[in-house]
Each structure stands twice: as structure tokens, then as C-alpha cells.
Amino acid sequence: MLEFFSAFKELSRGETVALWTVLGTAIAGLFYAGFLMIQVLREDQGTAEMRKISSAIRTGSNAYLGQQFKAISFLVFIVFAILYFTAGEKYIGVGRACAFIMGSIFSAFVGWAGMNLAVRGNVRVAAAADRKSFGDALKIAYRTGTITGMLTDGLGLLGGTVIFMIYGMRAYEVLLGFGFGGTLLALFMRVGGGIFTKAADVGADLVGKIEKNIPEDDPRNAATIADNVGDNVGDCAGMAADIFESYEVTIVAAMILGWASFGHKGVIFPLLVRAIGVFSSIIGTYMVRTKESVRDAMKAINIGFISSAAISIVGFAIVGFFYLRFTGIQHPVWVSLGVEGLDMRPVWTTLVGILLAITLNRVTEHFTDTKNKPVQQVAEACQTGHATNILAGFAVGLESTVWAIIVISISIVISAMIYTGTNPTFVAYGVAMCGIGMLTLTGNNISMDVFGPVADNANGIGEMAHLGKDARQILSDLDAVGNTTKAITKGIAIGSAVVAAISLFNAFITDISHLIHQTYEAVAASLSISFPNVFVGLLIGGAIPFLFSALTIRAVGRAAFLIVYEVREQLKDAAVWAGTKLPDYARVVAICTTAAQKELIRPALLAILAPILVGFLLKKEALGGFLAGMILSGQLLAVFMSNAGGAWDNAKKMIEDGAYDGKGSEAHKASVTGDTVGDPLKDTAGPALNPLIKVMNMVALLAIPIVVKFENSSAAFWGSGIVTIALIGFVLRDPESKKTAIKQKAVETQVAHIK
């Protein structure tokens, strides 16, 4: 029978104090989020017109998330029941199921709270640009994002620490549920929010900018409010949930592999590193500010990030030096310095992770910042038309994948080399600690990401409220920086997904070795692609991200078709076109909401069922190949789509700021085409691949005991075959005709539905 707080039986007095300190640090992070919330909400909200616009955005955002939480609540209940039976022991099953609910609630809360603060911060940023200064607008926008970042840090560390305190060295089994809860919610919020935001954005741009030649946030455009709503439900809520689950998944992998390699110290050290990360993020995020004479938002944000990184490195190096002492270890360097038993390898691999995060930041910034050649070349290509712009953006995205994969590969190789001469479990733990280090600065990463949609919304509010030229320029500059910070954090999210997935893949091998009572090396050898079923699994896994992306992009296209139709119809009203009557914003929000909820079902089912079916049909070895193929193609595809979309978006911003004859020019029209192509890539399909990669890995980890038990069962084989055929038919079925869809949505999406 489980004895609560059994962890403390294994720990020394110093370790017990350290564990309570970790818990206290998590709570301190939450208090810091509350402190910033009070600061932000005290700021001026601007004119009555600005507050009215912000209120409409907030109402639409809450309505969408409310619908989404209702839609997925039943599935969460079903998974809760299933998880109870995935563990062999009753108390582990109860803990895993309850941890799943906790992870789901935490992930949902982070997304909901982040979105709500973003839709309150946007109007305050616009007011600061109008009535104060660039520096004040930057500070409010960044601190609004920091609230979400610290909630992610605090709740993630709180949940992992409490579960460890209760379950001790069995905590990793329960944490699988916690990580899966965050992962599943992130998938739904990423996919649904991404479809919503880009349907509205593409529809608004195609009618407003291309057909009617009116500004992006012209109040006559019925999709304007929905576009701003989408920034919040897609980027704020979706990314917050996405990074939250990466935060948890890396902890799960580190605990599984840490216990298998270093025992309880290998489990506790990642928690200590995460606590140091919370502390360093508090300091670094509070440092982000700039003088009016400088007006360099990106430099201020980078200074905060580098400061947090430096504090973290010093902090976990000190902790490692005093904590990582092991009997029997006699490293010649430390012995020569009079230190016995010290093993700093977990510290070095954590350092590699932080350097990986910093390097990925710079790589992504290079390909998406307006100050650098790739974006400038895309903008230049707009002079010769739409096609050359598309070609230039594709080239930027394709090239960026190479550098991102090289950086990640070098980091993994260095992490493995640090453990040269040891068994593969230690090497796997080194890679897991690289992932821990990479997400040590989660507070900073989320701050940068949420800064993007807050600045974008503020810019939209400024345009709709007709603010002065100086204020509009401040907001436009912040918006352009926000595009870069969003791209950077997407790069971090994608990189963390890959490192976390590799760690989970090693945990997958470890679990199989325990289940079939073979060594790690023997199980790993059985995953050679020289075996046909492993190779087939690799091929199927490599194809899944492409199918998943096709489903999400096609969903955006269908939903955008409805928005274009609706905006065109409303602009036929002479009073709306003249500006004497407001369009029906709520109707467009309702169309986006209904379309997003309907369209996310097929991608979600594909993500959850595909690994289970591969395991039953082709056995556990094929499932290993499936995961490897999915990780590789998913990473490459995600980086390509994210960076190509970011380059197209910022090329458009360059032209709108006056390059190549500015707004209304032929170059501008070409840039808008590139932006509308890139939008579903960078904000829907690309980011959605992050939770896809981790959902499939988590499903494989949870399902592997059942797969091993029934992999030779004829009933399981034929049953899985039938389900596979049904799934393929459902996923690939032809969508309803667009005319039928329009008529159906016209009935379904009455204004009362959203109100």
C-alpha cells in the first residue's frame, strides 16, 4: 500500500530541505505572476473606443475557449478512465489518472489565463504607445507575456514536485499521466486555435487587402475582430499549453532515465535545475526594458534572456558541485583537485541544453528578422510578383531546416560524448538533461511568445481606434518584433519537442526492456531498420506529420472560404462600406469557432490512434521505427513551415513600413499573398506538429505494456486492422461541398450562438 510522501524515506536531510525549497520556488513563481498581473492591470486602458474594441476581442476569445473546453471534456473523462487500467498496480493507476486530470487542468488554466491577460494587456499597450512612450509600451507587452510564462513555470514545477513527494521513486510512472494531460490539451488547443486564427486572418487579408485595398484592421472588415481573437486563442493559449506540456514531458523522461542511471539523485537534480530556472526567469524577465532614445525592443528582450541564462548556468553548476557526489566515482580531474566522488556530467549536459536554446534563438532570428538578409530577400522578390515571393519564402524555410537540424544534432552528439564509455542509459539521461536545460528558461520563452500577439492586438486596436502617427509607428515596430519573437519561440518549441521526443524514445526502450526482461542494448538492437517491420514503421511514422499537416492546412482553407464569403456579403451593405454601420463581428467569430471545433477532430484522432494501431498491427519494434520516423520528419517539416511563414510575414511588414513603394503597391499585394500562404504554415500546421510529436510518444509509452501483452493476439491484430481501415476512411473522406457548408454555417452560426 502506498505511503504518502514516501519520497522522504529515500532522502537525506539536505535533500529534503532542497525538495521543499523547490516547492517553495514554484509557489514563488506563481506569486511573481500575480505581482505582474497587478502591475499590468493598473495601467491606463485608453479611450472608450479602445476599451470597446478590446472588450469585443476578449468576449470572442472567451467564447471560443469555452466552446473548446466543452467539446473536449468528454474525451478527457474517457482518457481518465482508460489511464486507470494502463498501470499494473491499483495505486499507480489511481495516481496516473488523477495526475492526468491535474495536467489537463493546469494546461487548460495556463492557456486560459494567458489568453485573458493578453486580451487585457493589448489595450494597455496601445494606450501606453499613445500617451506614454515606446519603452512603456514594450514593458507592458512583455510583462503581460511574462505572467503566462511564470504560470507555466510555476504550475509545471509544482505538479512535478508534488507528485514526486507523494510517490517517491515511482513518481515517473504517475508523471506519465501528468505529462499526457498537458500534451493532449495542448494538441487540441494548438490545432483548434490554429485553425480559428488563420481562417480569420486569411479571410480578412484576402478580402480586405487584396480585393478592397483597405488597411489590415479596418473596422469595416467583418473578420477584423475574429482575426484579433484568433491571435489569442492560437498563439497565447495554444503556445502556453504547448510549452507547458514540453516542460512536463522532459521532466517525465529525465525522471525515468535518471532513476535508471543515477538513482534518486538523477531524479531530484532535474527538479533542482527547474527551480533555478524559475528564479533566473524572474530576474531576467523583470530586466526587459529600453530607453526612449534607443527604442530597440529585440535587444532589450535578448538582454533579459541572456541574463537569465547566465544566472541559471551559475546556479546549477553550484548545485551540481555540492550535490552530485557518488560512491565509487573517482574522476582524475576532480581527484587532483581534492574532490572525490563528484560527477558533473549532468551539469554539462544541462549547459548544452541552455546553449542549444540560445543558438536556436539566433538561428531563427536570422531567418525571420527584418534586419537580416533572408527576410530582405523575400521582400525584394515581391517586386517581381506573387510567384517569386512564394519561391523566395520557400527557399528560406527549406534552408532554415538544415541549420536547425545541425544545431540540434551537434547538441545531442555533445550530450552523448559527455557520457562516452558508459552504458546507453546514461547517454539517454544526458540527452534528457539537455532537454531540461533547454526549457530551463521557459518563463522567458513564453514571455517572448505572448509578447507577439499582445503587440499584434495592440497594433490592431491602434488602427481601429485611429491613434496618432507616432503611436501607430510604435505599435507597428513592436508588432514586427513580435513576429520575430513568435518565430523564435516556435523554434524553441520545435527543438524542445525533438529533444523531449528523443528522451521519451529512450524511455520507451527502457520500458520495453523492463517488460520483456531484456537489457536496454538488446531492445535497441531489435530496432534496426534492417528488419522489415521496423523499416515499414519508420516509413509510416515519417509520413504521418505530412498527413497531419495536410489535414490542418486544408481545414484552414475550408474555414477561410467561409470567412471570405461572409466578409464579402457584409461589405455589400452600403452603410458598412461607408463606415456608418459596424459589420456583424460576432457572426464571423461564430463561424470560426464552429469550423475550428469541427475540423480538429480528424487530426486529433490521427495523433492518438496511429501509434496504438501500428503497435498492434506491426508489433513493438515497428512502433519504435514509427516514432523515429515521426520525430525526424516532424521536426524538419515544423521548422520549414514556421520559418517560411515568419519570413513571409515580416517581408510584408517591411513593405508596409515603406519599402518598395509601400502599402497598395504591386509589391505589397504580392507580399500579402505570401503572408496568407505562410499564415497557416507558421501558426497552424507547423506549431501543431510540436504536440503531435509528443502526443504520439506519450501514447506509445502508455500503450506499450498493452502492446507487448497482446502483440501476438489474432483478435488484437484483426481488430486493429478494422479500426485502421475505419480511421483511414474517416481521415481521408471528402469534405462536404463548399456551397453546402456555407448554407449549413449560415444556420448554425447565429449571433446568439456566440453570445
Side-chain angles (χ1 to χ4, degrees), residues 275-298:
I276 292 167
V278 171
F279 175 75
S280 64
S281 288
I282 290 174
I283 297 174
T285 53
Y286 205 74
M287 290 174 62
V288 174
R289 60 191 71 198
T290 187
K291 296 179 180 179
E292 190 63 21
S293 57
V294 178
R295 286 198 173 197
D296 193 335
M298 199 68 237

Side-chain angles (χ1 to χ4, degrees), residues 162-185:
V162 168
I163 290 173
F164 177 71
M165 284 180 163
I166 294 174
Y167 280 85
M169 300 312 145
R170 304 289 302 275
Y172 72 87
E173 298 178 71
V174 177
L175 278 167
L176 284 174
F178 188 53
F180 187 52
T183 300
L184 191 63
L185 262 290

Side-chain angles (χ1 to χ4, degrees), residues 173 254 379 478 586 606:
E173 298 178 71
L478 290 177
L606 178 67

Side-chain angles (χ1 to χ4, degrees), residues 359-614:
T359 307
L360 280 178
N361 272 1
R362 301 287 75 76
V363 169
T364 308
E365 185 179 345
H366 171 74
F367 285 104
T368 58
D369 197 318
T370 55
K371 297 177 181 178
N372 297 322
K373 280 188 177 180
V375 172
Q376 293 170 1
Q377 290 170 347
V378 174
E380 183 181 2
C382 293
Q383 296 178 96
T384 50
H386 303 256
T388 49
N389 174 37
I390 297 298
L391 291 172
F394 262 90
V396 167
L398 291 169
E399 182 185 351
S400 68
T401 63
V402 177
W403 296 107
I405 204 76
I406 287 175
V407 169
I408 293 172
S409 299
I410 290 173
S411 301
I412 293 171
V413 168
I414 293 173
S415 298
M417 288 175 62
I418 289 171
Y419 283 90
T420 299
T422 58
N423 67 55
T425 306
F426 281 85
V427 175
Y429 180 62
V431 176
M433 288 308 301
C434 178
I436 291 287
M438 188 177 186
L439 288 175
T440 295
L441 306 178
T442 291
N444 300 71
N445 289 327
I446 295 290
S447 302
M448 293 166 66
D449 182 73
V450 177
F451 169 84
V454 170
D456 193 352
N457 271 204
N459 195 22
I461 291 171
E463 186 168 304
M464 286 186 280
H466 307 292
L467 296 185
K469 183 179 178 181
D470 289 344
R472 292 284 293 113
Q473 188 59 54
I474 288 173
L475 295 173
S476 179
D477 291 344
L478 290 177
D479 190 7
V481 172
N483 282 334
T484 301
T485 60
K486 284 193 295 183
I488 287 172
T489 51
K490 286 183 177 71
I492 293 291
I494 295 165
S496 70
V498 174
V499 176
I502 294 169
S503 301
L504 288 174
F505 184 69
N506 284 302
F508 171 80
I509 297 173
T510 301
D511 269 11
I512 293 177
S513 69
H514 292 158
L515 289 167
I516 64 176
H517 306 295
Q518 291 185 7
T519 64
Y520 181 101
E521 293 85 349
V523 174
S526 71
L527 299 180
S528 169
I529 58 172
S530 62
F531 298 115
N533 62 331
V534 177
F535 190 69
V536 169
L538 182 78
L539 296 177
I540 295 172
I544 288 294
F546 288 88
L547 177 57
F548 182 85
S549 299
L551 293 173
T552 53
I553 293 172
R554 190 176 293 130
V556 171
R558 284 197 293 268
F561 183 94
L562 302 175
I563 302 306
V564 168
Y565 180 89
E566 180 65 28
V567 174
R568 283 173 179 169
E569 287 298 304
Q570 294 202 35
L571 283 175
K572 290 177 182 178
D573 187 326
V576 170
W577 181 248
T580 58
K581 173 186 174 183
L582 286 177
D584 192 344
Y585 299 124
R587 185 176 181 82
V588 179
V589 172
I591 291 173
C592 289
T593 300
T594 304
Q597 297 304 313
K598 181 179 179 181
E599 295 284 4
L600 67 80
I601 295 172
R602 293 190 297 162
L605 282 177
L606 178 67
I608 295 170
L609 294 180
I612 298 174
L613 296 174
V614 168

